[in-house]
Amino acid sequence: MRGRVAFSGMAAVLLMAAPFAATGAAACKGTIYLTFDTGSQSQADLIATVLNRHQVQATFFLASEKTVRGDYSLDPAWAPYWKARVAEGHAFGSHTFDHVYWVKDLSGGHMRVKPQFGAQAGKVQDWSAQQYCDEIRRVDTRFAQLTGRHLDPVWRAPGGKTSANTLAAAKTCGYAHAGWAPAGFSGDESSSEAWPNAVLLARALRDLRGGDIFMAHMGIWSRKDPWAPANLEPLITGLKQKGFCFATLRDHPDYKK
């Protein structure tokens, strides 16, 4: 008798839970992939707090950029921050170690580039495919030293500027490029006078569709009214209210291993 009662009670619970599970699945009308590129890191803690509060996992693209602390985002002092994000289940890709901008493709798979940081900051250089590949991998090496975890096999070119040669170089070392959807540009690099946060938020909530990759930075030096404090939380809650779910690029059909 006790066994029957226990079974009946468990069955009742499962039957009651099933409609809710089905409803939850049906309510997810599409997936949005939030991604964040390193920057001044002025919004790093806020971004982590908001994502954790809403149980949303994102993908971070890392370069060793100068931060508001006066150090660089892949310095040892940032190890606790990145370890915490690893523990929360986020994904991570390379943004080139010195935030290297592509300038021009050259013959033989070479390319002209301009690092923003590091020993060669501001100096135009001609690189081979191997040098570019090594630059992407430098982030993986440092991230593993800081966290004990390797990057996911994705990268993002600074400024989103790619070329046939940079894409080919990255592919040879196992990295696929991840840009963003037209509607996924947060606008946080734009003038806050010309593009107020309320306008950027309304545009994102109106235009984002299932499958879109959304991109913002972890702090932009030039924007007077930072994007994240005003927009990140309402963006997440607004998209959830519209029936969207969130995932990292590990679950994106174009980047699944």
Side-chain angles (χ1 to χ4, degrees):
M1 179 63 72
R2 288 180 181 175
R4 289 181 181 177
V5 171
F7 177 79
S8 299
M10 181 61 70
V13 170
L14 291 173
L15 287 171
M16 291 174 65
F20 290 102
T23 301
C28 187
K29 61 183 289 186
T31 301
I32 302 295
Y33 302 89
L34 297 182
T35 68
F36 297 92
D37 295 356
T38 46
S40 71
Q41 301 300 92
S42 62
Q43 308 306 312
D45 289 331
L46 181 143
I47 289 169
T49 298
V50 172
L51 293 177
N52 194 43
R53 179 160 56 240
H54 291 275
Q55 294 299 288
V56 168
Q57 293 177 330
T59 303
F60 293 86
F61 287 93
L62 313 180
S64 191
E65 302 191 54
K66 188 173 182 179
T67 83
V68 291
R69 297 180 185 177
D71 59 3
Y72 291 83
S73 51
L74 290 178
D75 280 354
W78 282 89
Y81 181 87
W82 296 123
K83 285 181 181 178
R85 307 293 78 78
V86 168
E88 291 161 356
H90 300 289
F92 305 89
S94 177
H95 198 34
T96 71
F97 195 90
D98 286 330
H99 205 251
V100 179
Y101 285 99
W102 170 82
V103 177
K104 179 183 179 182
D105 271 358
L106 305 173
S107 61
H110 288 61
M111 70 269 323
R112 187 158 292 159
V113 298
K114 186 178 181 180
Q116 186 177 3
F117 301 103
Q120 304 302 317
K123 299 177 182 178
V124 175
Q125 302 173 73
D126 291 350
W127 280 5
S128 67
Q130 186 60 54
Q131 285 175 293
Y132 198 83
C133 178
D134 290 345
E135 177 69 14
I136 292 173
R137 283 177 167 166
R138 285 179 68 197
V139 181
D140 179 66
T141 300
R142 177 63 62 84
F143 193 64
Q145 291 170 347
L146 296 179
T147 69
R149 183 196 187 281
H150 286 282
L151 299 179
D152 296 280
V154 290
W155 74 291
R156 174 172 289 160
K161 296 179 179 179
T162 62
S163 71
N165 288 2
T166 58
L167 291 172
K171 187 176 180 179
T172 62
C173 54
Y175 287 83
H177 189 262
W180 54 86
F185 176 60
S186 65
D188 63 359
E189 296 175 272
S190 308
S191 162
S192 52
E193 288 83 2
W195 292 95
N197 284 323
V199 172
L200 296 177
L201 176 62
R203 183 179 69 180
L205 290 173
R206 181 192 68 213
D207 294 343
L208 283 169
R209 299 290 183 268
D212 281 353
I213 297 174
F214 182 88
M215 186 278 294
H217 293 83
M218 302 179 74
I220 290 291
W221 292 96
S222 60
R223 188 171 174 87
K224 293 180 181 179
D225 186 13
W227 175 87
N231 283 16
L232 180 57
E233 193 147 30
L235 176 68
I236 290 173
T237 56
L239 290 172
K240 283 186 174 181
Q241 288 168 3
K242 294 181 74 173
F244 289 109
C245 302
F246 298 90
T248 73
L249 292 184
R250 285 195 294 263
D251 294 319
H252 191 289
D254 290 345
Y255 305 105
K256 281 185 177 180
K257 290 184 180 179

